[in-house]
Each structure stands twice: as C-alpha cells, then as structure tokens.
C-alpha cells in the first residue's frame, strides 16, 4: 500500500511540474494572425482588445498568466477585453505586431496594449509597468488591472 501511495504522489508531483513548465505563449503561432483573430472577436463582442506580449522564458510573464487564470481576474478581464498572448521570444519575434503600438516591449515583458475594436491604441505599458510582475505580487497585479478597467484602459 505504501508503494502505491508513493507512486500516486510521484505521479501528482510530475503532473504539477509539467503544468508549471507548460508553455504560456504559443511559439509556433503567427502573431499577426493571432492579433487579427482577436480583433475580429473584439469587434463582434464590442470589447477592447488586450494583447499581452511575452515569452515562455520570462518568469514575470508566467506569473502574470497565472494571475489571469484566477477566477476573479479572469472574470474581470473576460468582461472587458478579448485577450491574446503574443510571443516575442528574445525581443526578436512578432515585432510586426508590436510596432503599430509603439515600442511597448522596450522596457521589458510582459507588456500589454489595449486597443479599441477599431484597433485604435487606448493604453500601452510603455514604462515597463508589468515587467516586474513577480515583485508586484498577486495584490499589485490585481490592483493594476482593477484601475485599468476602471479607467477603461486610458493611460
């Protein structure tokens, strides 16, 4: 019985480790296509578009993604935005998606832009506001997005 319990514990730990290491950003996706599809959805739902630029090697990006999955944050974001995550790798990928919104990844990732359903820029984290998401912690990240939504994304 003891070895069976150890087996199940080991299996559960393996699943947890795999889930923690699961990629947050689709490295094989076409960023332009992702953004275009999300913009089409934003228009249909009359919501703003949120593009989250990041990479799988980025601890702050992973932390932010984890916060986005928490029920209260997910509900807040889903009610206001169509969210799409675009991989920028080592600041050398999908730059054609970044460029129309300015140099929003210059001061670090994760970085976000908010755009209207007509793709007009409303807000961008040009100052690296989320680049230290881990230091901000759960409370700081939640407050950042509560304020952003309350201001309707206007920076």
């Amino acid at each position: 019985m003891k070895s069976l319990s150890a087996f199940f514990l080991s299996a559960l730990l393996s699943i947890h480790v795999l889930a923690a290491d699961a990629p947050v950003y689709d490295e094989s996706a076409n960023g332009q296509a992702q953004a275009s599809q999300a913009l089409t959805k934003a228009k249909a739902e009359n919501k703003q578009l949120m593009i989250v630029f990041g990479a799988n090697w980025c601890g702050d990006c992973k932390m932010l993604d984890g916060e986005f999955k928490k029920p209260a944050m997910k509900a807040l974001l889903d009610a206001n935005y169509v969210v799409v995550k675009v991989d920028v790798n080592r600041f050398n990928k999908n730059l054609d998606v970044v460029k129309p919104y300015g140099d929003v990844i210059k001061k670090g990732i994760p970085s976000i832009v908010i755009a209207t359903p007509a793709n007009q820029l409303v807000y961008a984290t040009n100052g690296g506001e989320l680049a230290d998401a881990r230091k901000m912690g759960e409370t700081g990240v939640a407050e950042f997005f509560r304020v952003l939504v309350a201001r309707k994304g206007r920076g």
Side-chain angles (χ1 to χ4, degrees):
M1 185 72 170
K2 187 176 182 180
S3 65
L4 187 58
S5 295
F7 170 77
F8 282 117
L9 180 59
S10 175
L12 285 173
L13 288 173
S14 296
I15 290 168
H16 178 71
V17 168
L18 288 173
D21 290 340
V24 171
Y25 292 84
D26 183 349
E27 295 176 2
S28 66
N30 177 314
Q32 280 288 2
Q34 286 179 293
S36 179
Q37 290 168 356
L39 188 60
T40 298
K41 184 176 179 184
K43 287 176 187 175
E45 296 180 10
N46 196 29
K47 292 181 182 177
Q48 291 182 332
L49 170 68
M50 178 188 296
I51 303 175
V52 184
F53 296 108
N56 290 320
W57 58 263
C58 170
D60 293 296
C61 300
K62 290 179 180 182
M63 184 275 194
L64 186 65
D65 185 68
E67 293 303 309
F68 278 17
K69 292 176 181 171
K70 292 183 177 176
M73 179 68 77
K74 182 169 177 21
L76 178 73
L77 295 177
D78 287 350
N80 293 280
Y81 306 107
V82 170
V83 179
V84 63
K85 297 177 293 189
V86 175
D87 176 47
V88 295
N89 197 1
R90 299 272 176 197
F91 303 90
N92 62 353
K93 187 175 178 187
N94 289 312
L95 300 182
D96 55 334
V97 182
V98 176
K99 189 175 181 176
Y101 303 106
D103 200 359
V104 300
I105 64 173
K106 182 178 182 178
K107 294 200 176 182
I109 54 175
S111 185
I112 65 165
V113 295
I114 307 290
T116 67
N119 204 22
Q120 298 300 309
L121 181 63
V122 175
Y123 176 79
T125 54
N126 290 314
E129 291 88 332
L130 294 169
D132 287 326
R134 290 178 291 185
K135 288 182 184 174
M136 293 170 70
E138 178 181 345
T139 304
V141 168
E143 182 62 18
F144 176 87
F145 284 98
R146 276 194 295 274
V147 169
L148 188 66
V149 167
R151 291 171 27 192
K152 298 291 185 218
R154 290 170 177 74

